């Protein structure tokens, strides 16, 4: 069954979209990640215009983060104060990101910006994850477990504007979470991701937050930042396709529930290795698109204005 | 007219054409009988892009008036979409990566252009006539905008390369087409042809032109033009208009919808 997407302005198979949503939802349920970094590239690979893919995915992530955060909220595992500081940085980042996005779109480089950002971030994160999870697998096989310190003190902890984050048991400079929020906000705007894959490691390793509140707080701030990104894209690029978002969402919520049930049955390290390989796979496909000789070096778009 | 009438009745009996087709045919056959050189009609004047739109096909019929033996002439059908400005970008490899470099913007590019003819255009009409009526992909006039000056001044060949690339791309997307020998004559005077519209056809006012050409000239009274409208309808149209006319409110609604959907999902699955 084909459906005509009003903003993307093309006709796509509904079951393909539901399947995509379901598959990415399954993975996000299994791994506890948002899935934007998989969904946006898959939409682009299946022919949705990159601008629409990014803007619409931001909208979809709002929904999936809301449904994700509620469970953490009930367990009181959200550091609201930290979340709001992250959102403050994130909203500035989102503004900068959408402005950059629009500027490069007018120059004809926005596809390059999206692919480039994906290759850079997925490549880095994927390699780090792969190395880390492989090490963990080897360590477990050898049977040695090293204890980690609660958190380490680095130069960043000497910055001014210190704030107390009671739930995270931290007394640190607000500049650091704001900076992280800013970076993630930029990425959300240009990549159509929630940024959990950067936010979660940054919270653990850079901020030193206790792991119990990390995921809930990350989801909490993702809701706000992706909502702001959705708004900014709606106004600046008119590329948010509500119909596409709702179809993806219906597939994703079901997939996420199934994934969450499955995740208990697979060992953590293997799961992380699998995720790392997927991240690297998407990165490689994006990189191939940048370097492979195109079928036709010319492209045609309706001129703006 | 006897032959055409018997053809259409027998076709209707065999079920190869629908009742509406029969009626259109009969009415245009009557009018053509009354000495008009060319009478045409289209199966539909309004193309509605609804949620299940995957492209469509229109049937264009026509009848010629009195025709002397062996003097029928040729028929050319041109369907033109609304004109717009189109930007053609060229990618070049820079440090291993393919990057958009120069661009040329053309004005007055029809968003849709389909030609259907009863023979090869060059055999039907002289170049001057094709050029005057802009019949045929080679005869469309696109003017580069002033800001494309750098490429234009550099070399005419390079500009031609951009032009050809645009036509090639739009042909690949089904938005441009030139089908010779695609008009079928069912009798001496009755003809029909199909025009295909892809799913990504632009909205707007279209024009279907039909030319009856004999001895390299358009027969007096043998040129007709009728409008076709392409528009989005239903929920798709509502969403598109909302997103473009009130983007701020659309953004708020999109966010609220997502918040609600997320909450519903969480609530439903918690109870299961």
């Amino acid at each position: 069954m084909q459906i005509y997407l009003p903003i993307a302005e093309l006709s796509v198979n509904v079951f393909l979209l539901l399947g995509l949503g379901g598959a990415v939802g399954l993975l996000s349920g299994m791994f506890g990640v948002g899935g934007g970094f998989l969904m946006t590239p898959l939409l682009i690979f299946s022919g949705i215009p990159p601008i629409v893919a990014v803007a619409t995915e931001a909208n979809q992530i709002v929904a999936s983060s809301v449904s994700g955060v509620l469970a953490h909220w009930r367990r009181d595992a959200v550091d609201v104060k930290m979340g709001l500081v992250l959102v403050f940085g994130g909203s500035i980042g989102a503004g900068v990101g959408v402005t950059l996005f629009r500027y490069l779109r007018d120059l004809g480089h926005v596809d390059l910006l999206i692919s480039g950002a994906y290759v850079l971030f997925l490549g880095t994160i994927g390699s780090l994850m792969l190395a880390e999870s492989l090490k963990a697998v080897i360590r477990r096989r050898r049977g040695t477990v090293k204890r980690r310190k609660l958190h380490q003190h680095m130069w960043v902890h000497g910055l001014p504007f210190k704030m107390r984050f009671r739930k995270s048991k931290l007394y640190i400079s607000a500049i650091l979470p704001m900076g992280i929020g800013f970076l993630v906000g930029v990425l959300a705007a240009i990549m159509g991701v929630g940024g959990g894959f950067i936010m979660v490691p940054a919270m653990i390793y850079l901020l030193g937050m206790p792991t119990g509140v990390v995921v809930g707080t990350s989801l909490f701030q993702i809701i706000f930042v992706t909502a702001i990104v959705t708004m900014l894209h709606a106004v600046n690029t008119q590329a948010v396709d509500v119909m596409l978002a709702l179809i993806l969402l219906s597939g994703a919520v079901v997939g996420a529930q199934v994934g969450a049930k499955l995740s208990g049955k697979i060992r953590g390290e293997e799961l992380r290795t699998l995720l790392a390989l997927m991240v690297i796979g998407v990165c490689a496909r994006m990189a191939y698109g940048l370097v492979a000789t195109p079928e036709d070096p010319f492209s045609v778009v309706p001129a703006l204005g | 007219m006897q032959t055409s009438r018997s053809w259409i009745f027998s076709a209707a009996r065999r079920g190869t054409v629908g009742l509406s087709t029969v009626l259109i045919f009969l009415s245009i056959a009557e009018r053509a009988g009354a000495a008009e050189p060319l009478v045409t009609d289209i199966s539909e004047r309004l193309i509605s892009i609804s949620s299940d739109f995957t492209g469509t096909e229109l049937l264009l019929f026509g009848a010629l008036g009195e025709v002397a033996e062996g003097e029928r002439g040729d028929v050319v059908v041109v369907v033109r979409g609304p004109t717009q400005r189109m930007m053609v970008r060229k990618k070049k490899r820079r440090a291993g990566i393919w990057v958009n470099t120069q661009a040329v913007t053309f004005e007055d590019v029809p968003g849709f252009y389909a030609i259907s003819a009863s023979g090869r255009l060059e055999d039907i009409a002289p170049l001057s006539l094709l050029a005057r009526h802009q019949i045929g992909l080679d005869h469309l006039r696109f003017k580069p905008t002033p800001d494309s000056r750098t490429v234009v001044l550099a070399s005419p060949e390079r500009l031609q390369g951009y032009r050809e690339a645009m036509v090639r791309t739009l042909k690949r997307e089904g938005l441009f087409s030139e089908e010779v020998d695609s008009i079928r004559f069912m009798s001496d005077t009755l003809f029909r042809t199909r025009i295909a519209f892809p799913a990504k056809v632009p909205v707007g006012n279209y024009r279907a032109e039909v030319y009856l050409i004999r001895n390299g000239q358009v027969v007096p009274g043998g040129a007709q033009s009728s409008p076709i409208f392409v528009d989005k309808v239903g929920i798709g149209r509502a969403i598109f208009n909302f997103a473009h006319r009130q983007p701020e409110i659309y953004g708020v609604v999109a966010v609220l919808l997502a918040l609600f959907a997320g909450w519903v999902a969480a609530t439903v699955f918690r109870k299961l």
Side-chain angles (χ1 to χ4, degrees), chain A residues 2-7 9-11 59-64 66-68 70 74 104-112 223 226-228 230-231 234-243 246 249 253-254 257 261 289-305, chain B residues 49-54 84-93 96-101 105 158 161-162 165-170 172-173 199-201 203 232 235-237 239-240 243-244 247-255 257-263 265-267 269-270 272:
Chain A
Q2 299 287 117
I3 188 155
Y4 183 86
L5 301 172
I7 303 294
E9 300 196 288
L10 45 83
S11 175
N59 189 18
Q60 195 226 305
I61 293 170
V62 174
S64 50
V66 168
S67 76
L70 288 173
R74 282 191 287 266
L104 288 175
R105 180 194 63 176
D106 295 348
L107 289 179
H109 294 312
V110 74
D111 295 3
L112 184 69
I223 297 172
T226 50
I228 292 166
T230 306
M231 277 298 303
V235 173
N236 284 289
T237 63
Q238 279 104 42
V240 179
D241 197 317
V242 171
M243 199 184 282
L246 284 179
L249 186 71
V253 289
V254 177
Q257 299 298 324
K261 298 228 160 66
L290 286 177
V291 296
T293 307
E295 265 176 52
D296 193 337
F298 291 95
S299 59
V300 179
V301 287
L304 299 160
Chain B
I49 302 182
S50 52
S51 294
D52 56 356
F53 184 73
T54 56
Q84 58 196 106
R85 300 200 314 167
M86 285 285 201
M87 186 185 266
V88 185
R89 293 200 174 103
K90 189 179 184 186
K91 277 199 172 74
K92 277 193 183 145
R93 191 171 274 206
I97 294 171
W98 288 87
V99 184
N100 282 324
T101 51
T105 304
R158 203 188 294 171
Y162 280 87
M166 179 171 71
V167 171
R168 181 170 67 232
T169 308
L170 293 173
R172 193 166 55 223
E173 294 176 348
K200 61 182 297 187
V201 64
V203 299
K232 295 184 182 182
I235 179 93
R237 176 199 173 94
I239 293 176
F240 182 87
H244 284 85
E248 295 86 4
I249 307 173
Y250 177 82
V252 172
V253 171
V255 169
L257 216 57
L259 290 174
F260 179 68
W263 176 76
T267 317
F269 280 103
R270 197 184 173 205
L272 289 182

